Amino acid sequence: MTCKAQPDACQPLWSYQGHEGPIKALSWSPDGTKIASASSDGTVRIWDVETTKVLLVYRDDHTPRVKLTAVAWSPDGKRIVSGDDGGQVQIWDALTGHLLLLLEEQRGLDPVTFVSWSHDSRSLASSGYKGIVHIWDAQTGQTIASIPSTENGSVESSENDPIYAVVWSHRSSLIALASYDTIQVWDLSTGKPQQLGHSYHPSDHASDEQFAHAPGKGEANMFTVAWSPDDRQIVCGGQGYTLGLSFHG
């Protein structure tokens, strides 16, 4: 369903029906005329926003039983990336629905929780429940780097918390991670990921007035994160609360 945003309400405009399972992720095309939806029925569907008609259905016939969990449209509008509960990442031609690349670094080991494109559409990132972010070359499918998410930010630790979201900044090589009680920012510009500053732990600031609900230790799972358009601020959300953070890179 798409809605018209109003100051005090969200007015429904159109409804899209066709999936045979729950919809797990959505992404707008860069020009705003289409929507990509990823479902547990194993398909990505492309919808015309105004007519509500299905334009294309993407399905990987090699792994028909997977449930798709993530989707993102590339900034240049040419490709769509999806991820599934079997740990695979698919790159599709947005115009034809042809499967261009199947990335299997996490296959069978780590269900994909989130996917995100770099601002130039040349690289992408995927995250998983075992706390690893994979950085991929979107042209070749090769792994460029990986980032563990740990309690202390150490890349040597193997006791990783789930990463629920990984989001590329709009104009730079920075990515933000949302994990268990942790928000991290990493710089990928050197080819070797470097964490910027310290991990932010919301439960350490439970008395702060910016929380709609004060998270206690053990309940501060951070499920989502997003950059402001100027890349100077980050907003993140967890169990019952939303928090805005200033970032000075």
Side-chain angles (χ1 to χ4, degrees):
M1 177 182 293
T2 58
C3 298
K4 183 177 181 180
Q6 301 286 353
D8 58 351
C10 181
Q11 300 295 328
L13 293 177
W14 299 287
S15 179
Y16 308 88
Q17 300 182 12
H19 277 296
E20 299 175 358
I23 294 172
K24 297 296 186 177
L26 297 165
S27 181
W28 286 89
S29 64
D31 63 7
T33 64
K34 303 177 188 69
I35 296 171
S37 58
S39 170
S40 60
D41 66 9
T43 67
V44 172
R45 293 176 186 253
I46 308 302
W47 310 83
D48 183 287
V49 170
E50 294 192 358
T51 69
T52 74
K53 294 185 180 299
V54 177
L55 302 177
L56 287 169
V57 178
Y58 307 167
R59 185 190 299 272
D60 179 9
D61 294 330
H62 300 290
T63 52
R65 297 183 180 179
V66 299
K67 297 178 180 180
L68 297 183
T69 55
V71 69
W73 215 302
S74 65
D76 63 11
K78 296 179 180 179
R79 290 166 293 172
I80 291 172
V81 62
S82 60
D84 64 42
D85 64 349
Q88 299 178 115
V89 174
Q90 304 87 10
I91 301 178
W92 311 87
D93 185 303
L95 294 179
T96 66
H98 177 65
L99 181 63
L100 300 175
L101 288 172
L102 182 63
L103 315 180
E104 301 182 287
E105 185 89 4
Q106 300 170 231
R107 184 174 183 178
L109 300 175
D110 193 9
V112 176
T113 57
F114 209 91
V115 289
S116 178
W117 289 89
S118 62
H119 65 94
D120 58 7
S121 300
R122 298 177 61 184
S123 305
L124 56 90
S126 64
S127 58
Y129 282 108
K130 291 193 175 182
I132 303 294
V133 168
H134 293 279
I135 309 299
W136 311 86
D137 184 310
Q139 298 292 335
T140 67
Q142 297 299 310
T143 302
I144 300 173
S146 61
I147 302 173
S149 172
T150 64
E151 183 68 16
N152 60 8
S154 170
V155 297
E156 284 80 21
S157 174
S158 61
E159 298 299 323
N160 299 335
D161 294 316
I163 298 176
Y164 300 110
V166 52
V167 181
W168 228 294
S169 58
H170 299 291
R171 294 184 297 276
S172 71
S173 58
L174 303 180
I175 61 172
L177 314 182
S179 183
Y180 170 80
D181 193 25
T182 304
I183 297 296
Q184 299 177 4
V185 176
W186 290 75
D187 184 2
L188 305 177
S189 62
T190 64
K192 182 178 181 180
Q194 299 290 329
Q195 185 176 354
L196 299 184
H198 299 287
S199 301
Y200 185 88
H201 301 276
S203 63
D204 293 340
H205 304 267
S207 62
D208 289 357
E209 294 182 356
Q210 64 261 47
F211 286 109
H213 160 71
K217 196 68 175 177
E219 67 167 9
N221 278 332
M222 304 305 295
F223 293 125
T224 187
V225 63
W227 291 87
S228 63
D230 62 4
D231 288 341
R232 295 179 61 84
Q233 294 178 306
I234 296 170
V235 63
C236 51
Q239 293 179 225
Y241 58 90
T242 302
L243 173 66
L245 301 174
S246 294
F247 174 75
H248 304 284

